[in-house]
Amino acid sequence: MTSDLTATPAPPHSSRAAGVPHAARGGRPAPRRRLPVGTALTYLSLLAAAAVVLLPLAVVFLTSLKTSQEVADGGALSLPGDWLHLDNYVTAFRDGNMLMAFGNTAFILFFSIGGTVLIGSMTAYAVDRFDFRAKKAVMALFLVATLVPGVTTQVATFQVINSFGLVDTRWAPILLYMGTDIVSVYIFLQFIRGIPVSLDEAARLDGANAFTIYRKIIFPLLKPAIATVVIIKGITTYNDFYIPFLYMHSEDLGTISTALFRFKGPFGAHWEAISAGAVLVILPTLVIFLLLQRWIYNGFAQGATK
């Protein structure tokens, strides 16, 4: 018994089915997609902003590796003759008392950041969780405090600090840093408003008082806000020059910023030593910011959506 087997011809290969563009079948290249004008302007503005930020840093870094003769004869962006010329860093670190300055700065940072976290979180907890008669007035005063320039109150502030006998001590900037940070209060306030009040009520049913609720429930849930405040407050305090220079006059009480400023005396014309000191000051902040920048952005984003 025989059967007729009819072979079905295979369909011709379709360039459209194979994913080949229609323009390629005719031998002509596909038209190149033009970049929108808005996108091009965005990239150009980002490149310009990056150049504005990175160009001074590049000049400082290149100058720190040059000799005095190279600084006098070459331009700002000229390359150093020896990329391993580290004598300027040794001079800046030794003669600028940078080790003592780092120690004073660390001491001030530790107490300032710790006090800011405690005071800011407690203030935000009291404002959000308790109802009292002057609550709206307190919030209005917080807003006014953020609008008043700090320089306008420096004369009165200096008199108060001087009356306490804290001038020319490390406690003067610590108290000022802890008591003048309204931004941290607002950051904590935004996070606390996102914590359900039912947690407080359940804790009160178990016999917890207000401080226990803050210590065991509210404060542990503020970790993103605490990380944000620690980073922002730390960078601001580390880079501040005005308060340490105004309240700490002694040579052995210099911070990173004031130690760098003192290079203007014996190193007034030696820009290579000044640049090396600037690199030593910038490097810790840059490394910490690059490592922890996601905490800053996540903290602001979460606080904005609470």
Side-chain angles (χ1 to χ4, degrees):
M1 181 177 180
T2 61
S3 59
D4 296 334
L5 298 178
T6 304
T8 303
H13 293 288
S14 174
S15 60
R16 185 180 300 273
V20 180
H22 179 71
R25 290 183 293 164
R28 292 176 300 175
R32 183 175 297 177
R33 188 176 180 181
R34 301 181 65 180
L35 190 66
V37 178
T39 304
L41 292 177
T42 300
Y43 282 115
L44 287 177
S45 62
L46 290 175
L47 289 175
V52 170
V53 174
L54 296 178
L55 189 60
L57 295 177
V59 171
V60 171
F61 177 71
L62 292 176
T63 305
S64 67
L65 298 175
K66 298 177 182 178
T67 62
S68 301
Q69 191 65 30
E70 290 175 339
V71 172
D73 297 339
L77 291 175
S78 61
L79 299 180
D82 183 9
W83 288 91
L84 298 178
H85 181 70
L86 303 178
D87 294 344
N88 298 325
Y89 291 91
V90 175
T91 301
F93 190 83
R94 183 185 64 245
D95 297 343
N97 293 326
M98 299 296 288
L99 186 61
M100 182 181 297
F102 274 113
N104 292 330
T105 304
F107 182 87
I108 295 174
L109 280 174
F110 178 78
F111 288 99
S112 299
I113 294 175
T116 299
V117 170
L118 290 177
I119 294 174
S121 59
M122 287 182 177
T123 303
Y125 173 68
V127 169
D128 184 71
R129 288 297 199 261
F130 296 96
D131 292 326
F132 47 92
R133 185 172 300 176
K135 183 175 181 178
K136 293 184 178 180
V138 170
M139 296 301 298
L141 290 175
F142 282 162
L143 180 61
V144 171
T146 60
L147 300 177
V148 176
V151 180
T152 60
T153 60
Q154 283 302 319
V155 175
T157 303
F158 186 87
Q159 292 177 350
V160 172
I161 297 297
N162 189 34
S163 64
F164 290 152
L166 297 177
V167 176
D168 205 19
T169 66
R170 290 179 292 186
W171 294 106
I174 289 174
L175 292 178
L176 293 176
Y177 290 140
M178 288 193 302
T180 58
D181 196 349
I182 307 300
V183 177
S184 298
V185 176
Y186 277 107
I187 293 176
F188 285 120
L189 190 61
Q190 293 300 318
F191 275 84
I192 291 178
R193 285 174 177 173
I195 300 176
V197 183
S198 59
L199 296 177
D200 300 31
E201 296 173 349
R204 290 186 184 278
L205 292 176
D206 293 335
N209 55 25
F211 182 74
T212 303
I213 295 173
Y214 163 80
R215 181 171 58 89
K216 293 187 176 182
I217 298 177
I218 301 298
F219 192 78
L221 293 177
L222 293 177
K223 290 181 180 179
I226 293 173
T228 304
V229 170
V230 166
I231 295 170
I232 296 175
K233 186 68 177 182
I235 294 177
T236 303
T237 304
Y238 183 86
N239 293 330
D240 187 36
F241 168 79
Y242 183 74
I243 290 179
F245 182 75
L246 182 62
Y247 290 94
M248 297 190 302
H249 311 141
S250 300
E251 190 77 19
D252 57 346
L253 293 178
T255 61
I256 289 297
S257 56
T258 56
L260 182 61
F261 176 75
R262 291 190 178 109
F263 284 155
K264 72 179 182 62
F267 303 105
H270 299 280
W271 291 107
E272 64 281 0
I274 297 176
S275 299
V279 172
L280 292 176
V281 172
I282 294 171
L283 193 59
T285 307
L286 181 62
V287 172
I288 293 175
F289 180 81
L290 292 177
L291 293 177
L292 304 178
Q293 59 179 331
R294 70 183 185 90
W295 287 94
I296 300 177
Y297 301 137
N298 291 341
F300 274 126
Q302 294 179 23
T305 56
K306 292 294 183 184

